[in-house]
Amino acid sequence: MRVSAIVSTPTPNANSLKFSPGVAVVGSANTTIEFTSARAAMASPLAKRLFRIDGVKEVFLGPDFITVTKVDEAEWPLLKPDLYASIMDHYSSGQPVLAQDSGASSAVPADTVIHPDDSETVAMIKELLDTRIRPTIQDDGGDVEFMGFNEETGKVLLKLKGACRTCDSSVVTLKNGIENMLMHYVPEVTVVEQVFDELEQQSQDEFKKLEEALKKQMSP
């Protein structure tokens, strides 16, 4: 499969760029796969190739796009030519995007599959995430994963992925976009909270400690 042109699009995250090769990437509608390390990228010849480029921090594969997140020190003018070339080389090579024996799935997203034992509220939340919210977030080079719903408190737990995961405006996306829509269509929803990976949670905790220390220093 040959790629004639690759279009790069800025995302709300200054450290992430969305690349559209004009052909299928993961292929399945609404399906995304995130690689946060070179070791994890062994499951994808495409992601593995991109991680060879110095400065690449994360690779996120969507139905028809690739989002690359760089480290803070790297500069896009230096990275972009190598990224363009690597994507072109991958599709010219004839290799699959995902290794057949990798165990990585390109099936329908499991998080929003409606199960027989799901309550009506959970089913509505999953339907909205899959049909209204997920496509919009994928336009920005990211995705959202349903992590759970507390029937007693009305709290929805979501995990942001791709460009949205490390974006400065992720809280705005979560509150002004996702939370407002879910609360509008599903009255049982009272709040939406973001779920972090262990390392992300540690970073969040360290940031809060630093904020508190700075406030104490500035107080009279």
Side-chain angles (χ1 to χ4, degrees):
M1 185 182 299
R2 296 192 63 84
V3 172
S4 58
I6 300 170
V7 178
S8 64
T9 310
T11 73
N13 186 346
N15 280 343
S16 298
L17 271 183
K18 178 182 176 182
F19 295 86
S20 301
V23 296
V25 180
V26 173
S28 299
N30 289 346
T31 302
T32 58
I33 302 174
E34 186 172 42
F35 301 101
T36 57
S37 69
R39 179 186 290 272
M42 299 301 290
S44 166
L46 172 57
K48 182 168 64 174
R49 189 186 294 265
L50 293 172
F51 266 106
R52 291 178 187 150
I53 301 171
D54 189 34
V56 171
K57 182 180 179 182
E58 297 173 7
V59 175
F60 183 78
L61 306 179
D64 57 359
F65 68 87
I66 304 147
T67 299
V68 176
T69 299
K70 68 177 182 64
V71 297
D72 292 337
E73 313 84 69
E75 298 180 5
W76 284 122
L78 299 177
L79 273 179
K80 284 173 70 174
D82 288 340
L83 292 170
Y84 281 127
S86 291
I87 295 170
M88 283 281 195
D89 289 346
H90 170 79
Y91 281 99
S92 297
S93 72
Q95 287 185 297
V97 172
L98 297 172
Q100 293 182 350
D101 58 349
S102 66
S105 173
S106 60
V108 175
D111 63 305
T112 49
V113 171
I114 298 175
H115 302 287
D117 58 346
D118 283 341
S119 67
E120 184 178 345
T121 301
V122 169
M124 290 176 65
I125 292 171
K126 288 182 175 181
E127 178 72 16
L128 280 170
L129 286 172
D130 212 31
T131 60
R132 300 288 293 275
I133 295 170
R134 177 168 271 143
T136 301
I137 292 182
Q138 287 184 0
D139 282 344
D140 283 336
D143 199 5
V144 60
E145 183 177 351
F146 176 70
M147 302 298 290
F149 174 68
N150 188 312
E151 300 276 358
E152 294 183 1
T153 64
K155 181 191 295 184
V156 176
L157 298 177
L158 300 176
K159 181 180 179 182
L160 295 178
K161 302 166 70 176
C164 298
R165 186 165 65 85
T166 56
C167 179
D168 291 338
S169 61
S170 62
V171 175
V172 177
T173 300
L174 201 72
K175 294 294 180 182
N176 292 358
I178 301 173
E179 185 177 82
N180 285 352
M181 178 175 286
L182 288 178
M183 290 175 66
H184 176 75
Y185 289 103
V186 188
E188 292 84 357
V189 173
T190 60
V191 66
V192 175
E193 287 190 4
Q194 184 174 356
V195 174
F196 296 98
D197 290 335
E198 185 176 350
L199 289 177
E200 292 173 327
Q201 188 61 56
Q202 290 176 1
S203 298
Q204 289 286 322
D205 293 342
E206 290 300 321
F207 182 72
K208 288 179 181 177
K209 289 179 183 178
L210 178 60
E211 271 190 323
E212 289 174 1
L214 290 173
K215 287 179 181 178
K216 289 179 180 179
Q217 290 179 10
M218 296 175 65
S219 61

